[in-house]
């Protein structure tokens, strides 16, 4: 169980963050100088060098988005120029990519961050440049929304419910897609009209809310006896549906151990996704939400899922806040009482996944902030006390990630966050000589999300506006 540092304040991380951004700058430049983009998007490191893995193109936005975050944190225009130019040169194919469920990763991380910075006044206003970013985000959300599978359930609006299906096909709901719902929400907030066959108008907000609801219902467990392994807050990486009749069939996993255990990066995607969609819900007028069940119903659904997943993370993660790659990994028992001691990335049995921790830290911080600021109805529970708990958990995890052995200080290693895991079942991750498990390597999503969590706290320390994916996307 994570041992929360209840006295930790954002300002206590200032020295570590200053060091972090210095190392981050070095890594961004190193990849830009050394990585051959002709090989495809960089995905993860092997022996300290970024390499690729042909599965889907979902990480390039993290590469260029990292440069934009670096500028946001430090004001160094070298990184703004890099992020802006690389977005222009390389990201257009990702806007129209109909084969992935990752638009919220690739495009909100690049075009979205650039639009946000312009709306905040951190980069000069240019009307045509703003229109360019907005158009990319509008189309990206529509392309994402078109990956639609109806299911055998009627939504509050009276239309069939459904979900955005993964790259595995129309039968497949991935828990990680919850964070790509950002693309639909941004497109909706920008006032985009998505049209299908016969000029039928498709509401992007509705599709986002229905996908979020399907994820809450099928990807997240609540300890209600759904199956033998129904533990409150655990998640299934993949949920399988019969596309002929629209019925749910079973849990599955692509990158976790089984459908009945919890792949911790999938858990982290849910934690972060539900928390930031709760924040986005505050921008939607009550009248727009009424047809989908109303604000109270939608908030309760998202809050229930966010709290369950965050509680599970705290309870099923080692004391320092860094999880092993799957809570049901088959050799964890060989580590002894591993939940009551700090994680050991150099053990002989199962890898940790620092990238899951980086994503989870942001989810915990955002959920804590949301509860403390908005005081939602929670059956008599003390909102300030509960929100503080999640907030301190997020700071505790981030504090640990900002130091060795997780922060990469080797000037020759291209990665920033060490001990990230991509696909343990497939054996894709690099195992260094003399080790029995993968360790010591980085991933593009891990590096991006530790930067994003660091920026979230950095802006609070610096008294900057609250960092949210939808900033700058409101109409008008």
């Amino acid at each position: 169980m994570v041992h929360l540092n209840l006295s930790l304040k954002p300002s206590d991380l200032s020295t570590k963050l200053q060091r972090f951004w210095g190392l981050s700058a070095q890594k961004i430049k190193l990849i830009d100088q050394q990585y051959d983009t002709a090989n495809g998007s960089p995905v993860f490191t092997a022996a300290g060098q970024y390499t690729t893995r042909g599965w889907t193109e979902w990480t390039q936005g993290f590469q260029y988005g990292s440069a934009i975050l670096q500028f946001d944190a430090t004001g160094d225009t070298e990184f703004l120029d890099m992020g802006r130019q690389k977005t222009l040169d390389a990201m257009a194919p990702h806007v129209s990519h109909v084969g992935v469920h990752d638009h919220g990763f690739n495009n909100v991380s690049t075009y979205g961050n650039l639009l946000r910075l312009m709306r905040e006044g951190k980069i000069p206003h240019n009307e045509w440049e703003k229109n360019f970013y907005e158009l990319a985000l509008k189309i990206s959300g529509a392309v994402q929304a078109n990956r639609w599978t109806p299911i055998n359930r009627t939504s509050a609006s009276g239309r069939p419910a459904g979900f955005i299906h993964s790259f595995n096909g129309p039968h497949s709901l991935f828990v990680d897609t919850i964070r790509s719902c950002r693309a639909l929400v941004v497109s909706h907030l920008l006032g985009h009209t998505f049209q299908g066959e016969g000029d039928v108008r498709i509401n992007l907000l509705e599709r986002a809310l229905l996908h979020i609801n399907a994820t809450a219902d099928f990807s997240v467990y609540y300890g209600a006896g759904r199956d033998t392994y129904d533990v409150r807050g655990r998640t299934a990486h993949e949920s399988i549906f019969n596309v002929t009749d629209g019925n749910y069939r079973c849990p599955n996993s692509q990158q976790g151990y089984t459908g009945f255990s919890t792949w911790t990066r999938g858990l982290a995607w849910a934690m972060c996704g539900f928390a930031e969609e709760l924040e986005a819900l505050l921008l939607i007028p009550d009248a727009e939400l009424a047809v989908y069940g109303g604000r109270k119903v939608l908030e309760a659904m998202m809050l229930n899922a966010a709290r369950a997943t965050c509680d599970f993370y705290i309870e099923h993660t080692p004391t320092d806040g860094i999880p092993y790659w799957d809570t049901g990994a088959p050799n964890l028992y060989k580590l002894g009482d591993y939940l009551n001691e700090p994680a050991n990335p150099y053990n002989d049995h199962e890898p940790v996944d620092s990238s899951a921790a980086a994503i989870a830290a942001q989810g915990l911080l955002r959920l804590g902030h949301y509860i403390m600021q908005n005081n939602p109805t929670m059956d008599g529970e003390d909102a300030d006390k509960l929100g503080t708990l999640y907030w301190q958990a997020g700071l505790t995890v981030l504090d640990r990630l900002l130091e060795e052995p997780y922060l990469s200080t080797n000037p020759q290693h291209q990665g920033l966050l060490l001990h990230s895991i991509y696909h343990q079942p497939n054996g894709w991750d690099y195992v260094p000589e003399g080790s029995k498990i993968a360790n010591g390597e980085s991933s593009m999503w891990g590096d991006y999300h530790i930067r994003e969590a660091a920026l979230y706290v950095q802006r609070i320390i610096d008294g900057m506006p609250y960092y949210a994916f939808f900033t700058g996307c409101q109409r008008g």
Side-chain angles (χ1 to χ4, degrees), residues 11-70:
S11 58
D12 295 334
L13 275 60
S14 293
T15 300
K16 288 183 177 180
L17 285 169
Q18 184 176 7
R19 180 190 186 211
F20 171 84
W21 291 116
L23 290 167
S24 172
Q26 295 173 18
K27 306 299 183 179
I28 293 170
K29 290 179 181 179
L30 201 61
I31 298 168
D32 187 58
Q33 293 163 3
Q34 297 180 351
Y35 184 77
D36 185 358
T37 55
N39 294 326
S41 302
V43 180
F44 58 172
T45 62
Q49 304 300 300
Y50 260 102
T51 184
T52 191
R53 166 63 68 171
W55 200 11
T56 60
E57 286 283 341
W58 71 290
T59 60
Q60 194 160 44
F62 295 145
Q63 179 186 3
Y64 303 139
S66 287
I68 301 166
L69 298 184
Q70 183 73 22

Side-chain angles (χ1 to χ4, degrees), residues 64-65 67-69 71-72 79-88 91 106-126 129-130 132-134 136-137 448 467 469 471-473:
Y64 303 139
I68 301 166
L69 298 184
F71 163 75
D72 194 351
F79 295 100
L80 172 63
D81 294 342
M82 180 190 300
R84 185 156 42 182
Q85 189 61 49
K86 297 294 187 181
T87 297
L88 175 64
M91 294 307 298
N106 271 319
N107 299 317
V108 177
S109 301
T110 47
Y111 299 100
N113 273 321
L114 288 166
L115 179 62
R116 174 179 61 80
L117 289 171
M118 185 172 289
R119 289 286 184 93
E120 288 180 344
K122 294 195 76 170
I123 61 177
H125 179 83
N126 179 289
E129 186 178 351
K130 177 184 74 71
F132 169 67
Y133 298 148
E134 289 185 354
L137 291 164
Y448 178 85
Y467 172 41
F469 76 86
T471 302
C473 294

Side-chain angles (χ1 to χ4, degrees), residues 155-374:
S155 69
S157 67
R159 290 184 286 274
F163 61 88
I164 299 162
H165 57 259
S166 83
F167 60 72
N168 275 347
H171 62 286
S172 171
L173 166 62
F174 269 15
V175 68
D176 24 322
T177 308
I178 183 71
R179 193 144 204 247
S180 263
C181 276
R182 297 188 302 167
L184 281 73
V185 172
V186 164
S187 186
H188 171 77
L189 289 173
L190 290 172
H192 186 54
T193 300
F194 176 38
Q195 294 178 269
E197 298 294 330
D199 295 336
V200 171
R201 295 195 171 199
I202 299 166
N203 189 294
L204 291 167
L205 175 63
E206 179 179 47
R207 288 216 164 165
L209 293 173
L210 289 177
H211 179 88
I212 293 165
N213 204 348
T215 303
D217 286 351
F218 298 104
S219 301
V220 181
Y221 286 72
Y222 300 97
R226 175 172 158 184
D227 58 35
T228 305
Y229 304 97
D230 186 353
V231 177
R232 179 179 175 270
R234 86 165 196 86
T235 56
H237 181 192
E238 185 177 35
S239 300
I240 302 297
F241 291 79
N242 181 327
V243 296
T244 300
D245 61 15
N247 284 320
Y248 170 76
R249 300 306 303 156
C250 63
N252 189 33
S253 190
Q254 296 295 312
Q255 289 161 267
Y257 180 55
T258 75
F260 296 99
S261 63
T262 297
W263 174 52
T264 52
R265 193 161 82 249
L267 172 68
W269 289 131
M271 294 164 63
C272 190
F274 281 112
E276 66 182 358
E277 296 297 352
L278 274 167
E279 293 177 330
L281 195 68
L282 295 171
L283 294 185
I284 312 298
D286 288 347
E288 278 192 68
L289 298 177
V291 70
Y292 310 120
R295 183 177 304 280
K296 287 186 178 180
V297 169
L298 292 167
E299 181 189 55
M301 174 267 292
M302 294 185 200
L303 189 60
N304 189 30
R307 287 190 58 192
T309 50
C310 286
D311 289 347
F312 183 91
Y313 186 92
I314 292 170
E315 293 166 12
H316 295 268
T317 296
T319 57
D320 59 354
I322 314 301
Y324 289 89
W325 70 280
D326 192 295
T327 62
N331 293 310
L332 282 176
Y333 75 95
K334 296 179 181 179
L335 296 176
D337 193 14
Y338 63 94
L339 289 181
N340 287 312
E341 58 189 36
N344 176 14
Y346 302 109
N347 74 84
D348 289 338
H349 305 293
E350 295 288 359
V352 304
D353 187 1
S354 62
S355 71
I359 300 160
Q362 188 179 168
L364 289 161
L365 288 166
R366 289 189 182 279
L367 179 60
H369 179 270
Y370 179 87
I371 292 173
M372 288 187 289
Q373 292 295 312
N374 297 286

